[in-house]
Amino acid sequence: MLMRKEEAMRRKENVVTFNYLQKHTDKTQKMIELNIEGIKFTIETKEALYKHETNNFLKELPGIKNNIKFSKALVILNRWTKNNFVNQERFGFLDEYSISIMLAKINILYPNVSLIELIERFFLTYLTWNNSIPVRIMENRKHIITENEGSSIIILSPTYPEQNLTKQINKSTTKIIKKAMLEGLKEIRKARNLSSEEIKDFWKKFLEPKKISEI
């Protein structure tokens, strides 16, 4: 009876929230069919919604919202991961959501650094990160993921409950990611004392697509 009233209220308000979908879908469902006011549609649940909520959270996070430097760094790092073949989540690498969480963490720790320094700190921090400690923006005390053998990095969503955004990453792909980060760190440090004109040329070279044989 209570569930029927809740569903009626949802239809009346024409609103379907993340928590509502989590409550009324089981762990095996990847899609859910909805019928609101006679309009039928199918949407993704679970990981897709966690990522959607993560994206919305970051957009409104103080220090990130309307932060041009953060946006530029995020574009650069997403392009860099693609060019270095470490950007396919399903193959055990990073994706735009895990990168955004990682970068947001660095931006919180070092809010006043330059664009070059922000990216340098990104590489340096995660090259030396203790993988037994998950990377999270904020601690969710109601539902905390702490288990990690320490062989691969865990990036947690800022949602409730927390979701491991990098569960496909393993020991082997972690080594590949860190090797790419080490090369990225070496390159980005070359830009420390460059002029504005030299910086333009640097970014072109830094963001050039690589061949697999060069990795």
Side-chain angles (χ1 to χ4, degrees):
M1 184 68 179
L2 182 61
M3 183 176 175
R4 289 180 180 177
K5 288 183 178 180
E6 187 176 353
E7 289 177 344
M9 289 179 65
R10 296 293 178 189
R11 286 195 293 269
K12 183 178 180 180
E13 296 174 0
N14 202 25
V15 173
V16 180
T17 67
F18 173 73
N19 289 334
Y20 175 78
L21 291 176
Q22 285 294 105
K23 183 178 179 181
H24 297 294
T25 55
D26 62 55
K27 293 182 179 180
T28 62
Q29 283 183 272
K30 293 183 179 180
M31 308 291 291
I32 182 172
E33 294 183 357
L34 298 174
N35 187 332
I36 299 178
E37 298 293 332
I39 301 174
K40 296 181 180 181
F41 54 95
T42 304
I43 63 172
E44 293 179 286
T45 61
K46 302 302 179 183
E47 285 83 359
L49 284 174
Y50 280 115
K51 290 179 178 181
H52 177 71
E53 289 293 303
T54 294
N55 188 49
N56 286 342
F57 175 87
L58 289 176
K59 285 181 179 179
E60 300 301 321
L61 188 67
I64 301 299
K65 185 178 181 180
N66 300 323
N67 188 324
I68 296 176
K69 179 182 64 179
F70 176 86
S71 298
K72 286 182 178 180
L74 187 58
V75 170
I76 289 169
L77 287 170
N78 277 313
R79 178 77 174 273
W80 174 85
T81 57
K82 182 178 180 180
N83 291 346
N84 286 271
F85 305 98
V86 290
N87 71 319
Q88 294 289 333
E89 179 202 7
R90 65 181 181 274
F91 296 133
F93 295 105
L94 303 170
D95 67 3
E96 63 268 29
Y97 300 99
S98 55
I99 293 170
S100 64
I101 291 291
M102 295 166 76
L103 182 60
K105 184 74 173 180
I106 301 303
N107 193 78
I108 291 170
L109 294 173
Y110 308 101
N112 300 316
V113 297
S114 67
L115 176 62
I116 292 289
E117 290 172 318
L118 184 64
I119 296 174
E120 181 181 348
R121 292 284 184 178
F122 177 92
F123 288 137
L124 182 60
T125 299
Y126 294 113
L127 276 169
T128 57
W129 188 268
N130 181 352
N131 287 338
S132 65
I133 303 173
V135 178
R136 51 163 58 93
I137 298 299
M138 57 186 294
E139 185 172 299
N140 190 330
R141 296 187 180 277
K142 293 182 179 180
H143 183 89
I144 299 176
I145 296 176
T146 57
E147 304 85 356
N148 191 5
E149 296 178 355
S151 61
S152 58
I153 193 167
I154 285 183
I155 314 296
L156 300 180
S157 67
T159 58
Y160 174 75
E162 290 180 323
Q163 177 79 358
N164 181 5
L165 299 176
T166 52
K167 60 185 177 183
Q168 300 297 333
I169 292 181
N170 54 47
K171 189 175 182 179
S172 297
T173 55
T174 295
K175 288 182 179 179
I176 296 172
I177 293 169
K178 288 199 170 185
K179 180 182 177 182
M181 283 187 173
L182 181 58
E183 293 303 315
L185 179 62
K186 291 177 182 178
E187 289 298 314
I188 205 72
R189 281 182 167 173
K190 295 177 182 178
R192 283 179 173 177
N193 301 313
L194 297 180
S195 66
S196 57
E197 287 300 318
E198 290 172 326
I199 283 290
K200 292 180 181 179
D201 293 332
F202 168 80
W203 285 128
K204 289 180 182 179
K205 184 178 179 181
F206 185 78
L207 296 175
E208 280 181 355
K210 290 183 172 59
K211 297 178 181 178
I212 295 180
S213 59
E214 297 175 336
I215 303 301

